[in-house]
Amino acid sequence: MNLTTFDTASSSVSRMEAIISRCNAVEPKIGAFLARDEKDALSQAKASDERRAAGRALGPLDGVILGVKDVIAVKGQRLSCASKILENYVSPYDAHVVEKLKAAGAILWGRLNMDEFAMGSSCENSAFQKTHNPWALDRIPGGSSGGSAAAVASGECDAALGSDTGGSIRQPAACCGIVGLKPTYGLVSRYGLAAFASSLDQIGPMGRSVADCAAILQTIAGHDERDSTSLKVDVPDYMAALAEPEKPVTIGLPKEYFGEGIDPEIRAKVEAAAKFYEGRGCKLKEVSLPHSSCAIPVYYIIAPAEASSNLARYDGVRYTRRSAAATNTDEVFSLSRGEGFGAEVKRRILLGSYALSSGYYDAYYVRAQKVRSLIRSDFMKAFEEVDVLLTPTTPQPPFRFGEKTDDPLAMYLEDIFTISVNLAGLPGMSLPCGFTAAGLPVGMQLIGKPLGEAQMLQTAQVFEKAHEYASMRPAL
Amino acid sequence: MQRIIMPYEVIIGLEVHVQLKTKAKAFCPAPYVYGEEPNTLCDPVVLALPGTLPVINKKAIDLMIKMGLMFGCDIAAECKWDRKNYWYPDSPKNYQISQYDQPLCKGGAVEIELPGASRSVMGEHKKMELTRIHLEEDPAKLNHNGNFSYIDDNRTGASLAEIVTEPVFRSGDEAAAFLNALRMALSQQGISDCDMEKGQMRCDANVSVRKLGETTLNTRTESKNLNSASAVKACIEWESKRQIALYEAGRGAEIVQETRRWDAEQGYGYTMRSKEDSQDYRYFPDPDLMPVRVDQAWKDEIRATIGELPFDRQRRYMEALGLPYTAASALIGDPELCAYFEQAARLCGKPQEVANYVVNDLLRELAAAGEEGQGPLPLAQCRLTPTRLAQLVKLTAEGVITKQVAHEVFVESFKTGGDPLAIVDQKGLRAQNDTGELEKLARAALAADPAAVAKVKGGNDKAINALKGPIMKATRGKADPKAIDELLRRLIAEI
């Protein structure tokens, strides 16, 4: 039984050709891709057809066309992180997830736009181009995995890979009306994911349905000895879990997530979803995550601190773009980085360097780590009483370009509901739960227990099956 | 009037970097070996390509634990990693994975031996206290050439132990002795080859001076990258003299905390950079690595692999086996040779005689047998086995052959690997014990040299040697010199 929306019956080449013409038609309006190698994609599709013809199909993802966020390494393809500093860099190796997907027969299609080094919530921080929300072309697609979300929503690929450090899969998924899942920290290897904040980053699937995401997660999850933070656990059979009969669960509604600052239409949609679950026999329970208000300050200490060190390798010395004006070693560093990084990346590097400086380290970084563990214990306490948590994904519907560019703090608040999940290392996903009166997609977030992806997916699927959001497409 | 007593003492602490003998680098599978073509020992992790992650090489921790246990350090229950952030092209990541506040090994001490009054006299032994030993990544090698610097990333990421001592050294001799002791212990235990010429062992010396009797420490300087034990000694002596001269001239304020370089060829030091522009390394725990737990079972497993330490062996050889200092010292530098010696000594029960053969005859023959430019013949290729040597020593001890003949048999057996007794019989080398035959030769010698006889009778004892010569010659060394001596004296007395 094929639970996914993936068409594995048609020829891969003909489907790839259709996707290529779709991209040619809509990309001028969307701008999701930084690069597309049609020849390479068609030869992957041809190989898929040959396997199928020989009865050697590699599984449910054989021939599925997946877009890849430009932060994940694919051998022989550029890996720019949407940054000028890596503009001409080509990865000589495959990320762990890419190896897995290639082995599963997936067709890896293009490089998807993002906020530079995954820092941002609108894709406006890409050094190269804007990506437009397929539901409202004058609005942002969310970020940082905005290219991935927009490409999936506009039918330019079957599904895509994103990465999520503070909401970068879930927030754009909500903005573009698709499903996006951030796995438990350590479930998916980070090997080959250009690091933003090592202790928060996770690669995850973005797709048009819950099952699509589950099928991709099935393939990319699992231990990898090249990532020391990768968990040594058996990966559950997510697809089997989705095929199980519906089971009512206890759903927690964290009261801190329904307070001030949330758009009333979004609140109404998520509350309606809660009601829906109640109607299906689930128990609703209000819970408290008292340290929620600390999440943004804690995140903006820890993530920039790690980033300031992780991004130090982009220095103009070995493989990154070197400033033509540099005349000595110090200038190779300072001019290359000065020219190569955008404003938001520089802002975060400065924040992080400051937080780690001697004399400030204990007051900022050490303290933030302590509060981080309090945030996690809030969740663990809530999970003693409930199975999953239900919250809005974003406080506001997707905004217009430029609306928050000059106000970084307002931009940071975009991730207020998603950031805690990264800090706590939990699985979280966003799925569509309706549209605003203006026709903008609204997403709701489900948060699972550590390694509770299967139950989270099951819960999501109950809602999805009863609504038609998964099949709705923007008119382009 | 020249000052005779120097009223200053020198206070020295050392930081020694030692490359661990791991096949792979510290945090990735790329190999490290010295002397390869530049930039051939690199993989994506070494070059810090986007998306790469470090993974600890467990073998490096094994060697760190071994070193810590050898020197009596406390081994941390958890081995944690920190990033040391700095801007320099010798690190592709612009940070070094190191251990900041929780080193794997704390405390401990290294035993050293100071030079004795002469080569045959053992100098003082001391235990030099360690502060800590931690594991980190070796940086790239930069070759500066005019306006350009060339990066060789072969060394980048190699596993490196940093050994930090307490400020317990009081002379360049002590510091040099420390490096020698460290090298001997670490190379024998397979922890590092410690070849300073290959950069496998590098030393920085922190030096300050103070008037004798003072208890506070004065400003210290750090001299970097001293590449031999003699450079360490020379640098410390030069630097302490420089500081004393400044204090004596009332210019003590000119001694500032700084990093200095040592020009080993010209024999002087100079300022590299002052600590005023010292960097803030922004240390923080590396989020890419998990702490490694070190439990008792792991430590026990490693402890079982530690062989006898060189100076423990030296004490045993001298105290339990009665070897002279020179022989014991000649042996302890080479564990293979020690094993050879101990096997032969065990088989014949004559350690002193065996040691004598090993440090004199065997080393000489090995050196002579070595191929041109290749050093001595490796012991593993030596045909004279410990068993053969033991047989030879036994033949001498039992009087079957004389010592003179034994050396001839040694050389023969070294060449052929043959059984010493068979060689003796084949060549007719058994000791000449026929007293009638000896007496005949002795009488002939006396008759042939009446002048010598007269001298001996006149009290010139040494003249007897002139009489022994012809007898030794006639017996071709097979007669016991002691027996000849006794015989001649008896016969002269009878005259």
Side-chain angles (χ1 to χ4, degrees):
Chain A
M1 183 177 54
N2 185 6
L3 297 172
T4 66
T5 68
F6 303 143
D7 171 8
T8 47
S10 313
S11 120
S12 297
V13 169
S14 64
R15 290 188 57 253
M16 192 64 236
E17 282 167 345
I19 289 269
I20 288 170
S21 37
R22 173 73 176 166
C23 286
N24 290 337
V26 303
E27 261 304 273
K29 285 190 252 181
I30 303 295
F33 286 84
L34 291 174
R36 282 172 288 158
D37 186 338
E38 296 176 0
K39 223 177 111 193
D40 171 64
L42 283 169
S43 88
Q44 293 182 61
K46 192 160 164 270
S48 166
D49 282 341
E50 283 164 4
R51 282 192 299 271
R52 286 185 189 164
R56 289 187 287 105
L58 293 168
L61 292 188
D62 201 327
V64 172
I65 299 160
L66 297 180
V68 181
K69 185 180 181 182
D70 197 28
V71 71
I72 297 167
V74 177
K75 189 175 178 176
Q77 293 193 15
R78 58 177 276 190
L79 169 62
S80 79
C81 301
S83 178
K84 272 194 272 182
I85 208 160
L86 280 172
E87 193 165 3
N88 298 312
Y89 174 75
V90 172
S91 178
Y93 77 97
D94 278 331
H96 176 78
V97 294
V98 170
E99 284 177 357
K100 292 275 220 172
L101 289 168
K102 281 183 174 174
I107 298 165
L108 299 172
W109 168 230
R111 308 295 300 170
L112 291 164
N113 197 25
M114 54 187 278
D115 287 294
E116 184 179 9
F117 285 106
M119 296 175 183
S121 307
S122 67
C123 261
E124 291 168 296
N125 294 333
S126 167
F128 303 118
Q129 68 194 42
K130 271 185 193 166
T131 295
H132 299 260
N133 192 316
W135 295 93
L137 294 173
D138 59 339
R139 289 175 188 265
I140 58 105
S144 64
S145 311
S148 301
V152 172
S154 57
E156 296 178 284
C157 54
D158 292 333
L161 291 179
S163 69
D164 190 316
T165 306
S168 280
I169 285 176
R170 292 158 288 160
Q171 186 259 7
C175 289
C176 293
I178 63 161
V179 183
L181 185 150
K182 181 205 89 78
T184 303
Y185 184 78
L187 181 63
V188 176
S189 168
R190 293 183 294 116
Y191 190 78
L193 169 68
F196 160 15
S198 311
S199 72
L200 300 160
D201 296 341
Q202 273 289 288
I203 295 171
M206 302 174 79
R208 282 194 283 272
S209 78
V210 171
D212 291 1
C213 289
I216 296 166
L217 181 64
Q218 195 79 60
T219 301
I220 63 176
H223 180 66
D224 173 18
E225 59 181 22
R226 293 167 301 185
D227 175 0
S228 309
T229 61
S230 152
L231 298 169
K232 280 183 186 151
V233 290
D234 291 328
V235 178
D237 188 338
Y238 302 120
M239 300 314 283
L242 289 182
E244 281 172 19
E246 185 179 329
K247 277 178 301 209
V249 292
T250 305
I251 295 175
L253 301 167
K255 62 176 184 196
E256 291 81 2
Y257 286 59
F258 292 89
E260 272 180 40
I262 176 173
D263 179 270
E265 282 189 278
I266 291 181
R267 187 207 305 243
K269 296 284 173 206
V270 178
E271 282 172 353
K275 279 270 174 319
F276 160 81
Y277 280 115
E278 200 172 27
R280 298 298 280 254
C282 293
K283 235 172 97 186
L284 298 184
K285 201 167 169 40
E286 188 186 88
V287 295
S288 176
L289 303 169
H291 294 92
S292 293
S293 62
C294 302
I296 291 221
V298 164
Y299 178 87
Y300 279 98
I301 299 291
I302 292 172
E306 293 180 4
S308 72
S309 178
N310 283 334
L311 269 61
R313 66 189 59 194
Y314 308 121
D315 58 2
V317 174
R318 284 172 177 76
Y319 54 85
T320 37
R321 189 171 164 275
R322 179 179 301 180
S323 167
T327 58
N328 59 46
T329 306
D330 283 346
E331 285 178 5
V332 167
F333 289 138
S334 59
L335 296 180
S336 302
R337 289 166 67 80
E339 294 167 14
F341 288 138
E344 182 61 26
V345 172
K346 286 178 189 164
R347 182 181 293 124
R348 297 203 195 185
I349 289 172
L350 287 172
L351 268 176
S353 302
Y354 184 77
L356 291 176
S357 299
S358 109
Y360 299 99
Y361 176 75
D362 289 328
Y364 291 114
Y365 189 78
V366 172
R367 199 128 179 255
Q369 289 291 8
K370 284 180 185 158
V371 180
R372 181 179 185 173
S373 65
L374 293 176
I375 290 171
R376 182 177 165 85
S377 54
D378 281 355
F379 277 104
M380 298 320 288
K381 228 170 123 195
F383 281 126
E384 287 171 10
E385 299 179 84
V386 303
D387 300 310
V388 293
L389 295 168
L390 173 64
T391 78
T393 307
T394 62
Q396 307 286 332
F399 48 89
R400 288 192 177 80
F401 288 107
E403 226 174 86
K404 300 192 180 181
T405 313
D406 298 328
D407 187 354
L409 278 182
M411 190 76 94
Y412 294 173
L413 287 173
E414 266 296 297
D415 292 329
I416 190 159
F417 300 141
T418 47
I419 269 178
S420 297
V421 178
N422 298 78
L423 290 169
L426 300 169
M429 66 188 291
S430 179
L431 66 154
C433 67
F435 290 84
T436 64
L440 299 172
V442 176
M444 67 183 198
Q445 176 176 233
L446 290 172
I447 304 168
K449 296 175 180 177
L451 295 170
E453 279 81 0
Q455 192 173 44
M456 183 176 76
L457 286 162
Q458 284 173 329
T459 308
Q461 191 188 235
V462 169
F463 184 88
E464 184 184 74
K465 273 185 171 170
H467 299 81
E468 52 192 15
Y469 306 122
S471 57
M472 289 175 72
R473 299 280 179 274
L476 283 168
Chain B
M1 180 80 193
Q2 211 182 345
R3 192 188 300 275
I4 311 167
I5 299 164
M6 187 76 90
Y8 285 90
E9 69 173 340
V10 189
I11 315 288
I12 306 145
L14 299 179
E15 286 169 28
V16 184
H17 285 96
V18 170
Q19 273 177 359
L20 298 176
K21 210 174 171 180
T22 52
K23 282 198 189 84
K25 295 184 180 184
F27 294 97
C28 69
Y32 175 66
V33 277
Y34 176 82
E36 292 294 308
E37 278 291 301
N39 297 313
T40 56
L41 305 176
C42 303
D43 66 8
V45 182
V46 170
L47 297 173
L49 298 188
T52 55
L53 296 169
V55 176
I56 179 63
N57 177 354
K58 186 178 162 285
K59 185 79 203 304
I61 302 187
D62 283 347
L63 294 180
M64 287 291 293
I65 295 173
K66 188 171 181 180
M67 177 159 34
L69 291 173
M70 269 165 56
F71 297 143
C73 308
D74 289 328
I75 311 294
E78 208 175 67
C79 186
K80 175 206 161 213
W81 312 105
D82 299 288
R83 289 187 186 178
K84 178 183 181 179
N85 296 285
Y86 66 96
W87 293 102
Y88 200 61
D90 69 359
S91 168
K93 301 189 291 294
N94 284 303
Y95 63 80
Q96 178 190 37
I97 304 174
S98 181
Q99 299 188 286
Y100 176 50
D101 53 349
Q102 293 170 38
L104 183 53
C105 308
K106 266 192 203 165
V110 175
E111 182 175 0
I112 65 166
E113 179 180 296
L114 291 168
S118 79
R119 282 192 51 180
S120 57
V121 177
M122 183 166 81
E124 187 190 354
H125 280 227
K126 274 186 162 180
K127 288 220 160 190
M128 310 315 284
E129 291 159 4
L130 302 179
T131 311
R132 56 184 282 170
I133 312 175
H134 69 257
L135 179 62
E136 61 186 30
E137 298 175 291
D138 212 349
K141 196 162 172 28
L142 296 193
N143 300 301
H144 303 286
N145 188 353
N147 224 3
F148 284 88
S149 295
Y150 298 87
I151 302 173
D152 179 1
D153 274 315
N154 278 358
R155 202 179 70 180
T156 304
S159 50
L160 194 67
E162 179 173 333
I163 303 163
V164 182
T165 76
E166 292 287 292
V168 287
F169 298 86
R170 293 294 176 269
S171 70
D173 273 331
E174 287 185 350
F178 179 82
L179 288 185
N180 289 331
L182 202 57
R183 179 169 47 210
M184 190 154 69
L186 296 182
S187 60
Q188 290 189 11
Q189 303 286 345
I191 291 172
S192 170
D193 286 337
C194 293
D195 187 334
M196 293 186 88
E197 279 181 14
K198 293 180 181 171
Q200 291 163 343
M201 186 181 205
R202 288 138 25 206
C203 180
D204 305 338
N206 289 295
V207 178
S208 67
V209 300
R210 69 181 171 198
K211 287 228 166 83
L212 273 172
E214 283 180 355
T215 50
T216 53
L217 291 170
N218 288 324
T219 304
R220 65 168 196 269
T221 62
E222 182 181 19
S223 296
K224 284 246 178 231
N225 282 322
L226 304 166
N227 290 327
S228 69
S230 57
V232 171
K233 178 169 161 6
C235 170
I236 288 169
E237 285 168 358
W238 188 91
E239 174 61 14
S240 54
K241 274 186 200 144
R242 182 186 75 92
Q243 292 185 15
I244 290 166
L246 284 170
Y247 283 121
E248 285 293 284
R251 291 160 55 197
E254 289 175 32
I255 301 165
V256 291
Q257 199 176 337
E258 62 179 1
T259 304
R260 299 178 64 84
R261 273 237 169 91
W262 175 248
D263 185 326
E265 275 178 27
Q266 306 293 320
Y268 75 102
Y270 55 96
T271 300
M272 188 163 106
R273 60 169 185 262
S274 86
K275 279 276 174 184
E276 277 163 33
D277 41 71
S278 78
Q279 297 153 351
D280 176 357
Y281 290 118
R282 290 176 285 120
Y283 280 103
F284 76 109
D286 193 325
D288 285 332
L289 291 162
M290 306 302 272
V292 179
R293 194 151 296 162
V294 182
D295 59 12
Q296 192 59 42
W298 192 356
K299 286 191 276 187
D300 290 345
E301 187 190 310
I302 298 291
R303 195 186 296 276
T305 67
I306 299 175
E308 190 177 28
L309 293 182
F311 290 128
D312 290 340
R313 181 173 258 156
Q314 184 192 54
R315 264 185 290 281
R316 181 165 64 85
Y317 282 2
M318 292 172 70
E319 287 161 17
L321 302 182
L323 300 196
Y325 165 72
T326 43
S329 297
L331 286 168
I332 59 164
D334 184 345
E336 248 189 296
L337 200 64
C338 288
Y340 183 102
F341 154 72
E342 289 188 30
Q343 195 188 341
R346 204 165 40 242
L347 287 169
C348 67
K350 301 267 175 199
Q352 294 159 43
E353 286 79 354
V354 171
N356 200 25
Y357 273 113
V358 170
V359 302
N360 295 312
D361 302 66
L362 183 63
L363 289 182
R364 184 193 63 233
E365 294 302 327
L366 287 173
E371 278 185 40
E372 192 72 27
Q374 298 291 307
L377 187 75
L379 194 56
Q381 291 171 29
C382 177
R383 287 184 174 158
L384 177 79
T385 60
T387 311
R388 294 286 187 240
L389 180 57
Q391 289 168 337
L392 182 65
V393 171
K394 259 189 179 163
L395 289 178
T396 319
E398 288 164 0
V400 179
I401 53 173
T402 65
K403 277 186 186 166
Q404 286 67 22
V405 162
H407 288 287
E408 190 184 332
V409 177
F410 180 97
V411 172
E412 185 64 19
S413 182
F414 181 88
K415 276 186 193 138
T416 63
D419 176 358
L421 187 58
I423 293 168
V424 165
D425 284 338
Q426 190 195 338
K427 296 201 165 189
L429 295 174
R430 279 182 186 262
Q432 177 60 270
N433 293 325
D434 182 342
T435 46
E437 179 66 19
L438 263 189
E439 194 166 326
K440 233 191 259 173
L441 289 167
R443 287 188 189 282
L446 293 179
D449 195 351
V453 176
K455 276 185 192 164
V456 176
K457 278 190 114 35
N460 183 353
D461 203 46
K462 278 188 182 163
I464 199 164
N465 290 335
L467 299 166
K468 287 180 191 169
I471 308 170
M472 296 296 286
K473 205 173 165 192
T475 57
R476 290 192 294 135
K478 289 181 288 180
D480 181 2
K482 227 168 106 192
I484 296 171
D485 187 78
E486 280 165 13
L487 181 62
L488 282 171
R489 287 180 194 282
R490 182 165 60 77
L491 293 176
I492 290 169
E494 283 170 7
I495 293 171

